[in-house]
Amino acid sequence: MSSTDRPDDGLTVADMDLWRQGPPHALFAELRSTCPVHWSPGIAGMPDEPGFWSLTRAEELERVSRDWKTFSSHVDGAVDITFGDLPPELQELAKLDMINLDPPKHDRLKALFLEGFTQTRIEAQEAWIREVVTSVLDRLDGQETADLVADVSKPVVSRVIHGYLGIPEEDDAKWAAYMGRYIGRDDPDLNPGGLEQWANEFIPTLIEECLALIEPRRENPTDDLISILVHAEIGGERLTDDDIVMGILLLFAAGNDSTMATYVSAMKALTDHPDQRQKVLDDMSLVPSVVEEALRMFPAFSLMRRTATRDVELGGQQIKENDKVVLWYPAANRDETRYEDPDRFDVTRNPEHFAFGAGGRHFCLGNALARLELRLMVEETLKRYPQMEITGEAPFAEVFFINQLKTLPVRLGPRAS
């Protein structure tokens, strides 16, 4: 089927002009009601890229997420979880990233990662994570203002995931900056050198930095997650250095960016809705529900992409083999058939949602750790600064893949005793 055979209304969802203020929720609502499986003929600013299908309803997201045989994460020549394929020189390396794999290798790799994310191991870290949170908040004492991204969220989540990875605290800022650039490759602030410099200079440097973490752990393994990967075996064979590097980058990126983004969005929502914040201040047992509602309304990652392995019907549309299919999590998380008044921030809702995926093999393995971090961060921040106010602009990262505020300037208000 050629692009002219598809139902083309001329709209491309992948146009950054639609995303300047975050995900285009009004557009997603219109698509859910009129064309929940929608064809975009291209990508704005990327003339060589073919079009893609957008999924905006929960029903189709769940179906695609659970059917990896029909909707693959790993098809030669189409390896990337975002829209456009990676530059050719990065394709082979990207094929080793667990998030770009299908079973059986995906399942074997994920089993290795799960050793570091057991419920018992995470629960045992609660006191330490709370100490990390409170020590970062202690640095705000005496300040009238702060940036919740740079001053709170980034240092907390960096220390937590870096602690799991065995990275010393003095290297937190370096790796957090690396991950901001790694994930935010299209944003002019996060990656000022542009895509060419990102691919040709930054990525080789990042890979060398990851390789430098591997060799010491061959000689002296500890119980950190990098050591687990270095000494792991699949089918009696050790992982290659490239396998390990991609595993390290996945852990760094997910651990730094996802929790950071959701905490900042949660605190902004609570500040924008003082009635909801007061409910939580009156009953702190609502904090876990706040976390789930923030995950629903403001998922840290906007999308994942799959590639059709065969012709298939989906949501009334004919998907052809090798078509790209994009799962829009902010859209499915506001599906009117699943949520009453879905655009309303409600701290008592405690919803199920798609912030960690829509089921299937790629459901986020770190979800329990993220939920624990978010609960402790929201709880401790509210306890200290119940009258916090936003004082300036909170721009979104100009990257389709991440749903993230770059800054959130606030007036802290008097510290509660």
Side-chain angles (χ1 to χ4, degrees), residues 19 101 125 150 153 173 177 231 240 267 271 277 322 324 332 334 344 389 395 409:
W19 289 74
L101 292 175
Q125 300 300 316
S153 189
H231 292 274
T240 67
M267 294 309 303
T271 307
R277 179 172 65 181
N322 292 323
K324 297 177 182 181
R334 301 195 186 197
R344 178 171 54 88
E389 300 175 350

Side-chain angles (χ1 to χ4, degrees), residues 1 4 10 23 25 39 43 62 67 126 207 209 218 235 254 269 307 337 382 384 404:
M1 178 185 282
T4 56
H25 292 297
W39 174 254
I43 301 172
E62 289 174 322
D67 185 1
E126 178 168 350
I207 290 170
E209 291 270 16
R218 291 198 205 281
T307 304
T337 67
L382 284 177
R384 291 197 187 204
Q404 184 180 115

Side-chain angles (χ1 to χ4, degrees), residues 24-79:
H25 292 297
L27 172 61
F28 283 152
E30 180 182 349
L31 292 179
R32 283 193 301 272
S33 65
T34 62
C35 187
V37 178
H38 174 269
W39 174 254
S40 288
I43 301 172
M46 302 175 73
D48 296 330
E49 283 295 328
F52 61 93
W53 295 97
S54 285
L55 309 186
T56 56
R57 206 164 52 181
E59 178 182 347
E60 286 79 23
L61 254 77
E62 289 174 322
R63 176 180 166 186
V64 169
S65 294
R66 296 175 187 276
D67 185 1
W68 62 268
K69 292 182 178 179
T70 304
F71 301 99
S72 173
S73 300
H74 186 90
V75 175
D76 287 344
V79 178

Side-chain angles (χ1 to χ4, degrees), residues 136-326:
V136 169
L137 289 173
D138 284 345
R139 301 173 197 171
L140 303 181
D141 285 352
Q143 295 183 202
E144 293 184 5
T145 62
D147 174 7
L148 290 191
V149 176
D151 297 331
V152 179
S153 189
K154 189 171 292 186
V156 169
V157 301
S158 296
R159 179 78 309 258
V160 172
I161 192 59
H162 296 168
Y164 270 73
L165 289 163
I167 303 298
E169 188 169 1
E170 57 266 27
D171 289 341
D172 282 354
K174 177 184 79 171
W175 283 103
Y178 280 165
M179 289 306 103
R181 191 172 178 188
Y182 181 56
I183 293 292
R185 68 187 190 191
D186 300 310
D187 184 276
D189 295 323
L190 298 173
N191 184 40
L195 184 57
E196 184 174 349
Q197 189 182 75
W198 181 89
N200 297 328
E201 298 179 23
F202 170 65
I203 292 297
T205 298
L206 184 60
I207 290 170
E208 288 299 317
E209 291 270 16
C210 290
L211 288 170
L213 299 173
I214 294 173
E215 199 56 41
R217 288 165 172 81
R218 291 198 205 281
E219 308 275 339
N220 300 294
T222 68
D223 64 347
D224 67 69
L225 294 180
I226 298 177
S227 292
I228 290 175
L229 292 177
V230 169
H231 292 274
E233 293 185 357
I234 295 181
E237 295 184 1
R238 290 283 178 88
L239 299 179
T240 67
D241 281 357
D242 285 346
D243 284 324
I244 298 168
V245 165
M246 295 313 294
I248 292 171
L249 288 176
L250 177 60
L251 290 167
F252 267 133
N256 272 287
D257 279 77
S258 59
T259 310
M260 177 180 71
T262 306
Y263 162 77
V264 174
S265 294
M267 294 309 303
K268 184 177 187 301
L270 288 166
T271 307
D272 286 340
H273 299 87
D275 61 321
Q276 297 298 305
R277 179 172 65 181
Q278 191 59 51
K279 288 182 181 180
V280 184
L281 291 170
D282 292 341
D283 181 4
M284 294 297 281
S285 70
L286 288 173
V287 169
S289 180
V290 172
V291 169
E292 299 306 318
E293 181 72 336
L295 287 164
R296 179 188 73 84
M297 294 197 72
F298 319 109
F301 296 108
S302 295
L303 68 100
M304 290 288 173
R305 190 251 287 184
R306 301 289 183 260
T307 304
T309 61
R310 61 181 178 86
D311 293 358
V312 63
E313 186 275 334
L314 183 67
Q317 302 288 2
Q318 294 300 313
I319 312 298
K320 292 297 182 181
E321 182 179 355
N322 292 323
D323 278 358
K324 297 177 182 181
V325 179
V326 175

